[in-house]
Amino acid sequence: MTFDTRRDDYLSALGLTDWQYRADGPLAGATASAPEPEPEAPQAPADRAHEAPQEAPIIEAASPSVTEMPEPAVQDDAPSTPQSVSVADGDDSPAGLDWDELEAYLARQDHRGATRPVFGIGARDADVLIVGEAPGANEDAQGVPFVGRAGKLLDRMLAAIDCSRATNVYITNICKFRPPDNRDPTPDEVAADWPILERQIDLMAPRLVVAVGRVAAQTLLDCQTPLGKLRGQLHRYPRRDLDVLVTYHPAFLLRSPQQKSKAWADLKMIARHIRAFDQ
């Protein structure tokens, strides 16, 4: 039996009866035919066959603790009309009290429906005083300013510029008792607690005040200027020789995260001012 006959028998047994050698194969020139190729897998529809693969989303690294965001053309909460503060010293005045006496003095004041006073927290000999407007529900429950989500965000913001309430800043509010339903403090409430804040400033002798939020900024600077126009520049405290910088309240940033890039710019300005203390 010839080679060709044996080959044909083997191929027939395998069901391969119509075949041919590859033109470039070792048996090129053979005349036998090869089996028909199997049908190809169906192709993608014409409108998708040439689409480029979708790229994975790119996540850019952000500045520590504060995420950089594009700056949309939106403003902070609508400006309110702050009230000038005028408090006359009387027999029951906190003037001359030390820290512990001042905190005890505050505890004796009318709580105005709040659970407890929120005096302040931090390093009492710090160069930087951070001032918010008034306690919220979490602060009223714990007696500590800036706790809850807003407080955690503030701590991360401060950490981004190597500051913390445990080491080199002191944190307090203009008003020491929570207003009902977290509303803005009234002029009477501001006036009632203003001597406490002024005495805290006396005792602490800070070199910089950071006003956090619209109400705090407008009240401290005794103005009606929107917060967006107050931030980004150095101000002078109207009642004494003291620098003031303004930034957004962390609760506002939680509602409007697109403003975080502006808050980061404010923090860098604050950090530059703090570094200048040692020069």
Side-chain angles (χ1 to χ4, degrees):
M1 181 180 296
T2 67
F3 169 78
D4 289 340
T5 301
R6 290 198 306 273
R7 178 199 63 203
D8 292 341
D9 289 342
Y10 293 148
L11 294 176
S12 178
L14 294 172
L16 304 176
T17 59
D18 187 12
W19 62 278
Q20 63 183 1
Y21 292 113
R22 287 173 49 189
D24 58 348
L27 298 180
T31 59
S33 57
E36 295 184 2
E38 296 183 3
E40 295 182 0
Q43 299 295 318
D47 60 345
R48 293 179 59 86
H50 301 292
E51 288 182 356
Q54 185 176 2
E55 294 183 359
I58 299 174
I59 303 176
E60 297 181 355
S63 301
S65 302
V66 182
T67 305
E68 292 283 352
M69 296 286 185
E71 298 189 17
V74 297
Q75 297 295 328
D76 190 11
D77 301 341
S80 65
T81 303
Q83 304 294 326
S84 297
V85 179
S86 177
V87 181
D89 290 337
D91 293 336
D92 188 22
S93 168
L97 301 182
D98 64 22
W99 281 104
D100 292 338
E101 292 169 341
L102 185 64
E103 189 166 7
Y105 171 89
L106 176 63
R108 296 193 300 269
Q109 304 308 302
D110 179 9
H111 286 21
R112 305 191 295 264
T115 303
R116 55 179 56 83
V118 180
F119 182 67
I121 191 171
R124 293 176 174 179
D125 60 348
D127 287 329
V128 181
L129 172 63
I130 297 176
V131 181
E133 59 178 79
N138 289 317
E139 290 79 10
D140 181 63
Q142 300 183 39
V144 178
F146 285 93
V147 294
R149 292 180 63 215
K152 291 177 181 177
L153 178 55
L154 178 62
D155 287 342
R156 293 197 298 271
M157 293 167 65
L158 293 174
I161 57 172
D162 297 323
C163 290
S164 77
R165 63 179 76 196
T167 58
N168 56 358
V169 301
Y170 189 82
I171 303 175
T172 191
N173 288 302
I174 290 171
C175 285
K176 311 302 185 183
F177 297 95
R178 179 198 180 197
D181 302 319
N182 285 357
R183 59 162 170 75
D184 289 351
T186 66
D188 287 344
E189 290 166 345
V190 171
D193 294 345
W194 194 262
I196 308 292
L197 176 61
E198 285 285 282
R199 183 56 185 160
Q200 287 176 311
I201 294 174
D202 286 337
L203 290 168
M204 184 178 169
R207 301 173 72 176
L208 175 67
V209 172
V210 178
V212 177
R214 171 181 53 83
V215 173
Q218 292 175 339
T219 305
L220 285 170
L221 297 176
D222 195 12
C223 70
Q224 301 179 37
T225 308
L227 185 144
K229 294 183 178 180
L230 291 173
R231 51 170 298 276
Q233 55 186 306
L234 191 65
H235 302 274
R236 298 298 285 178
Y237 190 60
R239 300 164 186 85
R240 60 182 73 212
D241 185 21
L242 183 58
D243 289 334
V244 179
L245 289 174
V246 174
T247 191
Y248 293 109
H249 197 288
F252 173 75
L253 294 175
L254 290 172
R255 300 192 305 271
S256 304
Q258 68 273 17
Q259 300 297 328
K260 287 184 177 180
S261 63
K262 295 181 180 180
W264 176 237
D266 296 339
L267 288 172
K268 290 190 288 186
M269 185 175 182
I270 293 167
R272 288 194 299 270
H273 204 75
I274 293 173
R275 287 196 296 269
F277 296 159
D278 299 326
Q279 297 178 357

